[in-house]
Structure formats: structure tokens, C-alpha cells
């Protein structure tokens, strides 16, 4: 069975809990590791620009392990034809969803009409979404802010969502902050503009037919359960990366799974064959180990675990033995 056919046969992924697309973080190694902790979380790639896929090494950007499903590809772009072509590539590569980035505030993407600046061009976003939907059978979703500076009224947010909905989009992930496009770094844009969950909640009330997933500032599964009383799903970003063991109870607490909770030690043991294979194929060990530092939290020896994998491993003659040392610190945890 081809990957494209398999993708169209899979049910639409649940967005009840997802891990956000994060540049330089949610690469294929990170996603493989996170999948060891939760079978049900929807995982997203880093944002990939249409130019990178159409004019670069598409196979490298689209590469993923079958175990990563359910898996969505996030695209950055604003040319409807190019986005449609990339959506087709995503479907052919076996992705379960393609997502359009209308939230990234960095100067680099603004200059290419990518990300949050597109909130000022709802008709263009609608054209992009329609072109993608016409090109593929997998779901097309949008991740956006509640506004941008100069276009941050609730009426303008409703106009944006309404136009994109009319183009056929049924699922929106709402980062409940505005983006300030001048004067703030991307990091500051994740922290300085205040969270306004009440705006996202009003959006859900006013567009009850749409699936609305809340993103921004969520740190615990208790908070997830609270937000799920209002929203159709929750998306965690930095907390899921820096404290990945939070995912170990997602299936049980948010999806009513009766599978046993994976221990830190079990996750590490299951990661080892993947890590060894990567090194034996010529890959650098830190491509993977940098993503698991967050396992080292909240237990005696956690600091040593992080030191081994962030410092000692770079000077060791046999780095795999350093990983084994770190794994021993997780015994029984």
C-alpha cells in the first residue's frame, strides 16, 4: 500500500491533545521520542516553507518514521498554487494533516509573507486554504493568533476566521495572544503579549460548528482538562518539550486509555535501538540526545542525567556509553 493511499485511509486524527510545531525542536528525532511517551498525541513537524519543499531537499524535510503517526506537516507560505503542490507532497508522503502557519511573528518569515502577518490578509489565506483543500483528501487546518498589532479587534478576528471557514477550513488552532510584528523577537512574542483565553472562548461560542484548539501558556494536564470543557482540543508547545514526561499520562488522563503509563526508564530503553541505528548510519548522537534532556527532572540524579547528555557526551570517546550511564540513572523511574 502506498503511503498516500494509506494516509487517505486513516481516520482523521484527534486534535484533543497535540504538541505544537516548534522550529529547531520538533524534528523527526524529537517526534520519535515523544511518540514513545504518548500513542494518542497529535504531533506536528517544524514549519517547512513551500520554497524548501519545492526547491530544496523535499525528501529530507518530509522524512519521518511510521511510528510518528498521527502526524501533521506544518507549511509556511502564501502562494496558493505552491501551497497546493506542497499539500500534495504531504499527502503522498503519508502525513495525516497539513497545517498552514498564520502565527509565526519572525521578521524573516514576514518578509516572505509567511506566518502571523497573513492575519492582515484573510482573503489570501482563504484562497490558500481552498487551493490546498482542492488538492488533497487529508485535512487542511490553520494555526493563527487572535490578532496582530493594528488588526487586533475581535471583529477583525471573526472576519479572518469567517473568511477561512467559508473557504472550507473546519479546524483552527488559536494561539491566544496577538503577535506584535515590529519590535519584539519571536521569543518575546511568545511571552510579552498577554494571554487572552476569553477571546478564544468567545470565538468558540460564536463559531460552534468549527473545531477550535487552544494554544498558549498551557503547562499541566489539569489545565488541559479545564480548557477541554470549553475547547475541542489543547496544544502544548514549550512545556511539552522542556518537560516531555508530561506526555506519559496524556493517553490515560485525556483519552481514557487503559494502557500502562510508560516509565522514564522504559522510554529510554525503547529509544536506544533508534539512537544506535542513527549513530551507526553516520548521524550525530546529539541530534537525538538534545531532545531528551527534559526527562531529567524531578528525581535524585536528574541534574547528573542532564549533565551527562548535554556536556559529557561531547567529549567522550564512546558517547553511547555515556547514554547508557544516563539511562542507569532512570532505573525504576
Amino acid at each position: 500500500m502506498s503511503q498516500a493511499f494509506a494516509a487517505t485511509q486513516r481516520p482523521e486524527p484527534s486534535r484533543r491533545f497535540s504538541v505544537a510545531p516548534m522550529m529547531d525542536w520538533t524534528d523527526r528525532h524529537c517526534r520519535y521520542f515523544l511518540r514513545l511517551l504518548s500513542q494518542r498525541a497529535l504531533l506536528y513537524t517544524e514549519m517547512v516553507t513551500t520554497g524548501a519543499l519545492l526547491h530544496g531537499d523535499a525528501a529530507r524535510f518530509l522524512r519521518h518514521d511510521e511510528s510518528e503517526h498521527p502526524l501533521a506537516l506544518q507549511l509556511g507560505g502564501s502562494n496558493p498554487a505552491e501551497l497546493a503542490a506542497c499539500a500534495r507532497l504531504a499527502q503522498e508522503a503519508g502525513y495525516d494533516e497539513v497545517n498552514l502557519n498564520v502565527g509565526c511573528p519572525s521578521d524573516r518569515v514576514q518578509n516572505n509573507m509567511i506566518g502571523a502577518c497573513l492575519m492582515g490578509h484573510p482573503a489570501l489565506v482563504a484562497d490558500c486554504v481552498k487551493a490546498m483543500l482542492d488538492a488533497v483528501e487529508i485535512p487542511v487546518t490553520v494555526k493563527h493568533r487572535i490578532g496582530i498589532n493594528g488588526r487586533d479587534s475581535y471583529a477583525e478576528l471573526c472576519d479572518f476566521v469567517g473568511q477561512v471557514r467559508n473557504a472550507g477550513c473546519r479546524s483552527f488552532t488559536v494561539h491566544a495572544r496577538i503577535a506584535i510584528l515590529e519590535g519584539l523577537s519571536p521569543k518575546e512574542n511568545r511571552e510579552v503579549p498577554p494571554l487572552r483565553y476569553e477571546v478564544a472562548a468567545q470565538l468558540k461560542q460564536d463559531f460552534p460548528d468549527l473545531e477550535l484548539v487552544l494554544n498558549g501558556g498551557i503547562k499541566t494536564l489539569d489545565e488541559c482538562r479545564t480548557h477541554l470543557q470549553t475547547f475541542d482540543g489543547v496544544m502544548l508547545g514549550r512545556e511539552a518539550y522542556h518537560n516531555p514526561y508530561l506526555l506519559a499520562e496524556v493517553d490515560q488522563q485525556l483519552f481514557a486509555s487503559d494502557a500502562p503509563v510508560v516509565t522514564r526508564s522504559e522510554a529510554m530503553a525503547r529509544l536506544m535501538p533508534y539512537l544506535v541505528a542513527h549513530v551507526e548510519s553516520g548521524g550525530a548522537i546529539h541530534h537525538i540526545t538534545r531532545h531528551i534532556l527534559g526527562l531529567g527532572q524531578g528525581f535524585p540524579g536528574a541534574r547528573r542525567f542532564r549533565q551527562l547528555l548535554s556536556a559529557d557526551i561531547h567529549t567522550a570517546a564512546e558517547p553511547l556509553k555515556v547514554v547508557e550511564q544516563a539511562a542507569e540513572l532512570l532505573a525504576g523511574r
Side-chain angles (χ1 to χ4, degrees), residues 35-174:
R35 180 60 69 216
L36 297 175
L37 298 170
S38 168
Q39 293 299 302
R40 302 294 295 275
L42 174 59
L43 303 179
Y44 283 79
T45 66
E46 305 169 86
M47 182 187 72
V48 182
T49 65
T50 53
L53 283 183
L54 298 176
H55 308 299
D57 186 351
R60 177 171 70 87
F61 287 112
L62 295 170
R63 183 180 176 187
H64 62 278
D65 190 273
E66 190 65 22
S67 69
E68 294 173 40
H69 294 286
L71 178 63
L73 176 75
Q74 188 185 64
L75 292 174
S78 57
N79 179 295
E82 292 178 355
L83 283 164
C86 290
R88 281 191 291 270
L89 290 175
Q91 180 168 284
E92 290 164 5
Y95 284 86
D96 301 298
E97 172 191 318
V98 60
N99 176 268
L100 179 62
N101 183 320
V102 190
C104 181
S106 82
D107 291 339
R108 182 172 59 85
V109 299
Q110 281 183 63
N111 293 336
N112 291 298
M113 278 291 283
I114 296 172
C117 63
L118 287 173
M119 291 207 70
H121 305 274
L124 175 58
V125 176
D127 288 344
C128 291
V129 165
K130 185 178 187 309
M132 295 162 77
L133 283 166
D134 288 345
V136 296
E137 296 176 50
I138 57 175
V140 174
T141 65
V142 170
K143 184 174 187 291
H144 62 95
R145 298 281 182 130
I146 57 171
I148 54 177
N149 53 306
R151 187 183 167 89
D152 58 2
S153 73
Y154 184 67
E156 288 164 321
L157 174 60
C158 288
D159 176 52
F160 172 85
V161 171
Q163 290 197 48
V164 178
R165 175 198 59 186
N166 291 343
C169 184
R170 312 316 299 167
S171 181
F172 293 74
T173 297
V174 184

Side-chain angles (χ1 to χ4, degrees), residues 50-302:
T50 53
L53 283 183
L54 298 176
H55 308 299
D57 186 351
R60 177 171 70 87
F61 287 112
L62 295 170
R63 183 180 176 187
H64 62 278
D65 190 273
E66 190 65 22
S67 69
E68 294 173 40
H69 294 286
L71 178 63
L73 176 75
Q74 188 185 64
L75 292 174
S78 57
N79 179 295
E82 292 178 355
L83 283 164
C86 290
R88 281 191 291 270
L89 290 175
Q91 180 168 284
E92 290 164 5
Y95 284 86
D96 301 298
E97 172 191 318
V98 60
N99 176 268
L100 179 62
N101 183 320
V102 190
C104 181
S106 82
D107 291 339
R108 182 172 59 85
V109 299
Q110 281 183 63
N111 293 336
N112 291 298
M113 278 291 283
I114 296 172
C117 63
L118 287 173
M119 291 207 70
H121 305 274
L124 175 58
V125 176
D127 288 344
C128 291
V129 165
K130 185 178 187 309
M132 295 162 77
L133 283 166
D134 288 345
V136 296
E137 296 176 50
I138 57 175
V140 174
T141 65
V142 170
K143 184 174 187 291
H144 62 95
R145 298 281 182 130
I146 57 171
I148 54 177
N149 53 306
R151 187 183 167 89
D152 58 2
S153 73
Y154 184 67
E156 288 164 321
L157 174 60
C158 288
D159 176 52
F160 172 85
V161 171
Q163 290 197 48
V164 178
R165 175 198 59 186
N166 291 343
C169 184
R170 312 316 299 167
S171 181
F172 293 74
T173 297
V174 184
H175 185 161
R177 290 184 171 94
I178 69 164
I180 297 174
L181 300 183
E182 300 89 21
L184 291 186
S185 69
K187 179 178 186 296
E188 289 168 332
N189 257 301
R190 293 191 297 267
E191 298 168 352
V192 174
L195 282 163
R196 299 190 62 194
Y197 295 142
E198 73 281 1
V199 173
Q202 186 65 47
L203 201 63
K204 176 60 186 174
Q205 186 172 320
D206 291 339
F207 291 88
D209 57 315
L210 298 181
E211 178 180 65
L212 247 66
V213 177
L214 181 69
N215 172 233
I218 307 169
K219 294 184 179 297
T220 68
L221 296 188
D222 283 343
E223 291 174 35
C224 289
R225 277 193 296 272
T226 298
H227 289 306
L228 285 169
Q229 295 174 28
T230 303
F231 299 96
D232 301 297
V234 289
M235 174 184 277
L236 271 68
R238 286 165 290 162
E239 189 66 21
Y241 188 85
H242 292 306
N243 182 23
Y245 196 62
L246 173 146
L247 269 70
E249 294 190 21
V250 161
D251 296 3
Q252 292 74 16
Q253 293 199 29
L254 301 184
F255 291 93
S257 170
D258 57 6
V261 174
V262 176
T263 67
R264 286 180 171 87
S265 182
E266 288 168 341
M268 192 75 171
R270 294 173 190 175
L271 183 65
M272 284 299 291
Y274 179 86
L275 194 153
V276 170
H278 178 68
V279 172
E280 289 180 347
S281 69
I285 199 166
H286 73 269
H287 290 164
I288 299 173
T289 54
R290 72 188 184 97
H291 296 305
I292 64 177
L293 298 179
L295 270 186
Q297 285 193 41
F299 61 89

